[in-house]
Amino acid sequence: MILFVYFALILVKKHNVAIQKLVLDTLEDDDYELIAIHSSIAPYRLAFLLNKNLKLNLSRKEEDINFEYNDITASFPLYQYHDHFQYHTYSLLGNKFSTKIVPKKTVPDGLFVNTENIYTIKHLIPELKKVDYFLKIETEASHFSSKIVLTQMLSISQIITAYSVEYAALKSKNNLIFE
């Protein structure tokens, strides 16, 4: 979403006073496609397969996408490729973050101490919990279609399925704004 701010200077003739008015306009920036990917492989392996089959050059960013959830910081991997010739930016994002919760103090449960591991899972897009990865394709070309990319992705045997997502209907679509 792009936010435009402009100032208007209005002169009121009645009181002969200059009034400054701030007007905020928002425009939806619908220039990207979002593809959901179901795959059980590691993110670096998926990036490698997408690079090989889609002729991309996805590389891991130094900074992951981080979100704070109460006392947990979830870190989602980000791989990006900027195609300067086609004016496309491809971003491969992990949707799941799993971490072990360490209990603050252990309470004995009879003769034995409960030592089972408790894990919590956080999602980048909670509405789509079963999705493993997202491929976000930002483009300046109005004629871009993700159908060709989807067809090439579905030919990769390690990808279970992939499909386009209508991101405008997502409640947590702002999590996809990370630059």
Side-chain angles (χ1 to χ4, degrees):
M1 188 179 303
I2 300 174
L3 184 66
F4 289 101
V5 180
Y6 63 92
F7 292 94
L9 188 61
I10 302 172
L11 292 174
V12 179
K13 292 183 180 180
K14 208 186 242 187
H15 301 287
N16 218 6
V17 177
I19 298 174
Q20 196 172 28
K21 185 178 187 181
L22 176 65
V23 179
L24 298 174
D25 284 339
T26 59
L27 298 176
E28 284 293 317
D29 196 7
D30 292 334
D31 61 349
Y32 71 87
E33 300 273 336
L34 188 63
I35 298 174
I37 302 170
H38 294 263
S39 179
S40 60
I41 61 177
Y44 68 89
R45 181 77 177 136
L46 180 60
F48 171 78
L49 291 171
L50 292 175
N51 286 344
K52 182 179 174 185
N53 291 290
L54 275 61
K55 308 293 188 259
L56 302 177
N57 194 12
L58 291 166
S59 60
R60 179 82 184 248
K61 298 293 280 184
E62 289 181 20
E63 299 268 336
D64 288 343
I65 300 171
N66 297 318
F67 286 100
E68 296 288 331
Y69 298 98
N70 298 334
D71 58 344
I72 299 171
T73 300
S75 182
F76 301 97
L78 172 63
Y79 293 79
Q80 267 190 336
Y81 168 58
H82 300 287
D83 185 352
H84 298 290
F85 297 109
Q86 298 291 325
Y87 302 110
H88 302 319
T89 299
Y90 297 86
S91 301
L92 178 64
L93 308 147
N95 189 40
K96 296 180 182 177
F97 174 79
S98 178
T99 187
K100 182 177 162 181
I101 297 176
V102 179
K104 294 181 181 172
K105 64 178 188 175
T106 57
V107 178
D109 195 23
L111 294 174
F112 304 101
V113 176
N114 186 3
T115 59
E116 71 181 46
N117 294 329
I118 300 171
Y119 289 89
T120 183
I121 298 174
K122 299 295 179 186
H123 296 88
L124 183 67
I125 306 294
E127 300 93 296
L128 300 170
K129 291 183 178 183
K130 295 189 180 198
V131 173
D132 297 307
Y133 301 97
F134 291 103
L135 183 65
K136 179 181 173 184
I137 306 168
E138 298 173 86
T139 180
E140 293 181 21
S142 60
H143 63 277
F144 180 80
S145 174
S146 62
K147 291 179 183 178
I148 297 168
V149 174
L150 273 170
T151 304
Q152 292 172 334
M153 288 174 66
L154 291 172
S155 69
I156 301 171
S157 62
Q158 290 87 345
I159 294 179
I160 298 166
T161 189
Y163 50 88
S164 290
V165 174
E166 185 59 44
Y167 64 89
L170 297 175
K171 292 179 185 175
S172 55
K173 64 184 171 191
N174 289 339
N175 292 356
L176 296 170
I177 302 171
F178 45 84
E179 301 228 15

